[in-house]
Amino acid sequence: MKIGVLGSGDVAKALAAGAVHHGHAVQIGSRDPGKLRAWAAENKAQVGNFAETAAFGELVMLAVRGTAAAEALRAAGAANLSGKAVIDATNPIADAPPTNGVLKFFTNLDESLLERLQREFPGAHLVKAFNSVGNALMVDPKFPGGKPTMFVCGNDDGAKRKVAGLLEEFGWEMADMGGAEAARAIEPLCMLWCIPGLLRNEWGHAFKLLRKS
Ligand SMILES: NC(=O)c1ccc[n+]([C@@H]2O[C@H](COP(=O)([O-])OP(=O)(O)OC[C@H]3O[C@@H](n4cnc5c(N)ncnc54)[C@H](OP(=O)(O)O)[C@@H]3O)[C@@H](O)[C@H]2O)c1
């Protein structure tokens, strides 16, 4: 599959390198593509600006600062996102510092960042995923307790099926939590995931949903 990754930070690089590793054709995008050229050449990815990268992808991944997520999608262009699955790995982390290891969000429990983005880009099929684990564990995570669970949500079932396939390749079990509103619960998993890291510098964990059957 052709995958366009919007972002130049650790998450974008982890997801782009993982997708290349699993056999996909990948383009990574930034407002300043020049800064990614050496990395892209080393990692067998193409590079472009946000619009070129969104146009390249049959599936698009959004991995930019939460406060810039809407701006990045505007730069990507609604037409380049229309009808495509767009994995949203962002978290609505506010600029204010954490309190006792608990991050501050600029959203509230009745409105997630994913819903805001979905409202502004109705043609894109947004799927929340990869926001509740650190970038070092996003691809091929290995835990003694088995595959960790990736909680996902979004309004389009076809897009979620595509994401399910990718998660399977990346070594995850997917838990579909339903429509866009479920991001109100999935985004704060990032706060929970970060607490051991921010309090005790422990970052080597992931969530698992245990089922009776
Ligand atoms: N770090 C993790 O392990 C982790 C884990 C799960 C989820 N997340 C979430 O994933 C996202 C990416 O995290 P990160 O740590 O890789 O990177 P980051 O430092 O949060 O974000 C860097 C990216 O944000 C873009 N950006 C910043 N300001 C912008 C603006 N005004 N307009 C457009 N784009 C702008 C940058 O674009 P340019 O390339 O153009 O500079 C760059 O690609 C965040 O939302 C974060 O909460 C992070």
Side-chain angles (χ1 to χ4, degrees):
M1 187 160 44
K2 288 167 81 179
I3 298 181
V5 182
L6 306 175
S8 61
D10 291 339
V11 174
K13 286 175 175 166
L15 291 173
V20 171
H21 176 73
H22 284 284
H24 299 282
V26 176
Q27 180 160 319
I28 186 165
S30 164
R31 289 168 299 175
D32 173 13
K35 70 180 174 190
L36 284 167
R37 279 198 211 294
W39 184 92
E42 241 170 68
N43 288 275
K44 301 181 173 55
Q46 301 182 44
V47 64
N49 61 28
F50 285 143
E52 291 161 347
T53 302
F56 172 88
E58 294 159 336
L59 177 146
V60 176
M61 295 178 167
L62 177 65
V64 300
R65 200 153 53 88
T67 50
E71 211 175 316
L73 289 187
R74 283 176 211 134
N80 292 326
L81 301 168
S82 187
K84 296 181 183 175
V86 179
I87 292 182
D88 171 20
T90 66
N91 282 308
I93 299 172
D95 290 333
T99 305
N100 211 6
V102 181
L103 290 166
K104 291 209 191 307
F105 272 18
F106 58 78
T107 48
N108 63 55
L109 287 173
D110 295 320
E111 193 204 24
S112 62
L113 178 55
L114 179 125
E115 289 171 274
R116 285 191 196 177
L117 298 174
Q118 187 62 80
R119 253 200 316 276
E120 183 170 345
F121 298 92
H125 302 313
L126 286 163
V127 180
K128 196 91 212 173
F130 292 107
N131 71 299
S132 60
V133 70
N135 64 83
L137 295 165
M138 287 179 175
V139 183
D140 303 326
K142 296 280 179 284
F143 288 100
K147 280 188 184 184
T149 306
M150 188 65 76
F151 294 91
V152 312
C153 71
N155 291 337
D156 189 90
D157 288 338
K160 283 191 285 194
R161 275 194 294 278
K162 277 193 180 161
V163 175
L166 202 67
L167 282 168
E168 169 100 35
E169 288 174 21
F170 280 25
W172 288 84
E173 161 196 288
M174 179 173 120
D176 181 357
M177 294 288 114
E181 296 78 9
R184 299 174 197 177
I186 297 175
E187 288 173 0
L189 290 178
C190 148
M191 297 166 79
L192 186 62
W193 187 86
C194 285
I195 289 173
L198 294 170
L199 290 184
R200 300 185 294 276
N201 202 27
E202 292 168 13
W203 304 98
H205 48 272
F207 296 119
K208 185 163 183 69
L209 187 67
L210 300 176
R211 299 176 176 90
K212 277 189 158 176
S213 56

